[in-house]
Amino acid sequence: MLQNKYSTKKILLNSIAGILLIGLCIGFSSCAKDYEKIPLGQEQSIDLTFDSHDSAGTYAIEFLNTVYNDALFSGHNRVGGDYLDAASDDAISSYNGLSAVEQIATGAYTATQPNSDDIWTQSYKAIRAATIFIVNIDRVPIIEKLPDGRSARSAYKAEARFLRAWTYFELIRRYGGVPLLGNTVYEITDNVELPRASFQRCIDYVVSELDAAKDSLRTQPQVNSTNYGRITQGAAMALKAKVLLYAASPLFNGGNIDDGDSLTGYADYDKNRWKLAKDAAQAVINLGTYALMPNYSDVFTTQAEPIAGNTETIFWRQNGNNTSVETVNGPIGYTSAGGSGRTSPTQNLVDAFPMNNGLAITDVNSGYDEANPYTNRDPRLSATVFYNGMLWLNRAIETFDGGLDKPGGTLQQTKTAYYMRKFMGNFESVSGSPVYSNTNHDWIYLRYADVLLEYAEAANEYEGPTSDVYNVLYSLRQRAGITAGDNQSYGLQQGMNQDQMREAIRNERRIEMAFEEQRYWDIRRWKIADSLYAKPLRGMDIQQSSNGQLFYNEIQVLTPSFSSPKMYFYPIPYTEFVKDENMKQNPGW
């Protein structure tokens, strides 16, 4: 066992030397030749990267860029080729075999065989890299200044602190309390058998790191084409709001799955935690920096300020200008365009979208027509989901049995009669042979609509459905294109109590944030995953008669499995117990 521990530490420590050397190779055409001349020792690599004579900070900044890459991952089809939401009640994978997300949705994973969303090893690699930057950057005499005269070096250091805090948050929402390493960079000879910190200590640490980093970060107006995509003050404030919202949520705040276990939540409920989340979201709103985009679909295909004017994105990762989302997820019948229909949204999600008057389809006054189920719906439906009859690339989508986009046979195709539309460009007006054009597919981690919904949720839990809470939902529905109605309520019931408003906010969040890796975590932090996964996921079977008449029948497409309460957290990977005798497993695993 000692040999295993030593070997593991050696691998982890040597990996950082590799990162440093890669950073040094950037910009050198003769990297392969020069590689042999660079000493393999870690201290030598650090001295070269964090050069005390490099006033431009060239190699240090390149190293920071590798920290960005280690800490951030794009959500586009990232879990075994699927969106994480395909492991929630919003979608399933169209893959013909057993997909990675289906394994998550059906609980087919263990501590010895973790699921495909297990990020433990990668996260601690990112944390170590961020810490190396944090403890060494002050030796680099960077002369660059921000437009307001502040030190750019302090901003770079704050970016690394944010990335470390972000990574800890990703760990916390998967595993609960985790080991906190602080600013220590462990060596092979050090004792790295560290215990997990309590959930509360982890939350407090992340919040304190974000508070400490905030004032040194760039403000949004200071981000220009030369430093586009760098973390800003607004991002730190928005992440703080999200972290505090999670901490206030039922799973952690009074709903601890293991009484007395400080690793999985707080011991008791504290209403003031909702106020902390509310105030943090309010602080982002008060900046006046961000605003909802006029058109919902443009949020996901327009790059942020100052490139092209996206005022809603706060924190994102650039993924290039390409057709990757379309070719992986587009309807399969457009052979020249190349869609392979990987994601099948569920009827459960489709039913959550109201009518364009804002009323739920179950409301007798909504105007919903079962024979024409997609007529006069919330415009966000057609911006999120492809459905039968919807116009796309010069023809109507055909997801009836035997249609062009659901031909049957062994070809990968929709299992629900729906395809994912979100994140794709607008190609409806393309003439001639249908093809996809390159589209910006940035992955957005934090956006203003999310902050507004966080404010509404926290405010409602703290003080009930105030006018400010209503106004958040009004603003989102107005932007979506829902009609205001005679009473200017956008279909929302007036005089709701706290429970009714809670359900309204949760549903609004579901449809507004679909496929953005929100639903999967929301149903866990709300502690409703066990009840939702107990219900079959539904699709639509559409039959077309010889005269063209369509008949819609709901079908069951997957029965998920959720072993409560243990599946509210991932198991700590078994490999960690081999290395660390102080590591404690999550309940039930």
Side-chain angles (χ1 to χ4, degrees):
M1 182 175 290
L2 287 174
Q3 185 177 0
N4 287 340
K5 293 176 185 175
Y6 179 86
S7 299
T8 302
K9 287 192 286 184
K10 185 176 181 181
I11 291 169
L12 290 173
L13 291 165
N14 284 344
S15 68
I16 191 58
I19 294 172
L20 290 161
L21 291 171
I22 290 170
L24 289 169
C25 287
I26 297 174
F28 286 91
S29 61
S30 58
C31 181
K33 179 179 68 176
D34 292 344
Y35 182 91
E36 296 177 356
K37 300 178 182 179
I38 298 175
L40 295 178
Q42 181 182 345
E43 290 304 318
Q44 293 280 0
S45 299
I46 287 178
D47 287 342
L48 288 169
T49 302
F50 299 98
D51 187 348
S52 61
H53 302 289
D54 182 11
S55 61
T58 303
Y59 298 133
I61 295 171
E62 287 175 354
F63 180 83
L64 177 60
N65 293 341
T66 69
V67 179
Y68 270 82
N69 289 332
D70 287 343
L72 304 177
F73 41 76
S74 168
H76 291 304
N77 294 101
R78 75 170 181 86
V79 184
D82 288 291
Y83 283 84
L84 181 61
D85 288 50
S88 74
D89 56 343
D90 278 358
I92 64 172
S93 174
S94 303
Y95 184 63
N96 286 326
L98 179 61
S99 65
V101 291
E102 185 175 335
Q103 288 180 299
I104 297 175
T106 56
Y109 57 92
T110 65
T112 56
Q113 294 181 315
N115 67 53
S116 295
D117 188 47
D118 173 66
I119 62 167
W120 187 282
T121 300
Q122 175 63 25
S123 293
Y124 277 102
K125 175 186 175 184
I127 288 168
R128 177 181 172 80
T131 302
I132 286 175
F133 185 88
I134 291 165
V135 301
N136 287 287
I137 187 57
D138 285 342
R139 69 169 76 176
V140 183
I142 298 176
I143 61 175
E144 178 189 354
K145 298 291 184 182
L146 302 184
D148 60 4
R150 291 182 295 135
S151 166
R153 182 175 65 185
S154 297
Y156 291 129
K157 185 174 184 178
E159 289 170 32
R161 294 184 78 169
F162 174 97
L163 290 168
R164 187 171 64 179
W166 172 267
T167 305
Y168 274 120
F169 170 63
E170 291 282 13
L171 287 166
I172 293 165
R173 64 178 175 179
R174 287 167 172 81
Y175 307 100
V178 296
L180 295 175
L181 306 184
N183 283 343
T184 303
V185 179
Y186 288 93
E187 306 298 341
I188 291 177
T189 55
D190 293 334
N191 175 22
V192 293
E193 296 186 26
L194 303 175
R196 296 168 62 187
S198 70
F199 175 82
Q200 178 173 350
R201 186 180 165 207
C202 288
I203 293 295
D204 290 346
Y205 176 76
V206 170
V207 170
S208 66
E209 283 292 288
L210 294 171
D211 282 340
K214 174 178 67 70
D215 290 338
S216 294
L217 289 166
R218 294 171 173 83
T219 61
Q220 191 74 4
Q222 293 175 338
V223 177
N224 55 41
S225 58
T226 62
N227 50 46
Y228 178 73
R230 292 209 170 274
I231 294 158
T232 62
Q233 290 181 358
M237 295 169 67
L239 178 55
K240 176 181 176 179
K242 182 174 285 292
V243 171
L244 290 173
L245 185 82
Y246 270 67
S249 297
L251 178 61
F252 309 107
N253 188 14
N256 195 329
I257 65 168
D258 188 18
D259 289 343
D261 188 347
S262 64
L263 299 175
T264 52
Y266 299 105
D268 301 298
Y269 174 76
D270 185 350
K271 183 179 180 180
N272 193 59
R273 294 188 183 110
W274 288 112
K275 185 177 187 302
L276 293 175
K278 168 183 171 291
D279 291 347
Q282 181 70 69
V284 180
I285 296 170
N286 290 346
L287 286 174
T289 302
Y290 308 103
L292 295 176
M293 290 283 285
N295 184 288
Y296 178 74
S297 295
D298 289 346
V299 175
F300 312 104
T301 57
T302 304
Q303 291 196 299
E305 292 279 14
I307 301 298
N310 191 329
T311 60
E312 191 166 335
T313 54
I314 300 174
F315 177 43
W316 69 97
R317 172 178 175 160
Q318 297 177 71
N319 282 327
N321 192 32
N322 51 52
T323 63
S324 59
V325 174
E326 291 81 6
T327 55
V328 173
N329 298 283
I332 66 168
Y334 300 87
T335 54
S336 58
S340 57
R342 182 67 185 232
T343 305
S344 294
T346 60
Q347 190 67 43
N348 309 59
L349 172 63
V350 172
D351 286 350
F353 287 86
M355 302 297 288
N356 63 3
N357 57 18
L359 297 177
I361 64 172
T362 54
D363 191 310
V364 295
N365 298 312
S366 70
Y368 177 68
D369 181 1
E370 291 184 355
N372 297 284
Y374 315 120
T375 302
N376 296 327
R377 297 291 291 273
D378 179 341
R380 284 174 295 188
L381 175 60
S382 60
T384 305
V385 173
F386 286 119
Y387 49 78
N388 189 70
M390 178 176 166
L391 293 179
W392 176 250
L393 294 180
N394 305 317
R395 71 164 172 85
I397 299 286
E398 295 183 2
T399 55
F400 55 83
D401 283 1
L404 290 173
D405 302 300
K406 195 181 180 188
T410 60
L411 184 67
Q412 179 176 287
Q413 60 195 276
T414 177
K415 296 179 179 179
T416 61
Y418 301 107
Y419 290 98
M420 189 192 75
R421 162 69 175 89
K422 198 167 185 176
F423 311 120
M424 298 186 187
N426 296 311
F427 311 115
E428 289 88 341
S429 60
V430 174
S431 60
S433 178
V435 294
Y436 294 132
S437 302
N438 287 340
T439 300
N440 290 313
H441 290 129
D442 293 350
W443 179 257
I444 304 173
Y445 301 101
L446 301 169
R447 65 181 176 99
Y448 190 57
D450 187 13
V451 173
L452 292 176
L453 285 163
E454 290 167 354
Y455 172 83
E457 180 180 344
N460 182 61
E461 296 297 336
Y462 182 67
E463 54 194 346
T466 64
S467 59
D468 287 339
V469 174
Y470 270 97
N471 285 336
V472 166
L473 300 188
Y474 291 161
S475 65
L476 291 171
R477 290 185 162 214
Q478 180 185 41
R479 189 270 293 277
I482 291 176
T483 57
D486 294 338
N487 61 359
Q488 302 294 301
S489 66
Y490 298 90
L492 292 170
Q493 175 186 339
Q494 294 300 297
M496 284 189 278
N497 60 33
Q498 187 181 56
D499 292 340
Q500 292 169 324
M501 178 57 81
R502 179 184 300 120
E503 293 307 309
I505 292 170
R506 289 181 177 183
N507 193 73
E508 198 71 25
R509 185 171 179 82
R510 180 182 192 178
I511 59 181
E512 174 72 25
M513 309 297 294
F515 299 110
E516 296 180 53
E517 293 205 357
Q518 301 286 347
R519 179 70 175 176
Y520 180 84
W521 299 114
D522 283 344
I523 62 178
R524 284 160 173 75
R525 69 179 178 85
W526 291 332
K527 209 177 179 183
I528 61 173
D530 52 347
S531 61
L532 288 179
Y533 281 108
K535 303 172 184 177
L537 302 184
R538 296 172 286 114
M540 189 68 76
D541 175 67
I542 308 173
Q543 299 292 329
Q544 186 179 56
S545 68
S546 58
N547 64 0
Q549 186 176 0
L550 297 173
F551 299 90
Y552 296 84
N553 298 287
E554 286 192 2
I555 57 172
Q556 295 182 9
V557 294
L558 179 68
T559 300
S561 177
F562 191 89
S563 180
S564 183
K566 77 174 187 178
M567 285 180 63
Y568 276 108
F569 294 94
Y570 291 175
I572 306 298
Y574 174 74
T575 52
E576 296 306 310
F577 294 93
V578 175
K579 296 180 290 186
D580 187 350
E581 294 178 356
N582 292 319
M583 187 67 65
K584 182 180 178 181
Q585 184 57 279
N586 275 326
W589 294 103

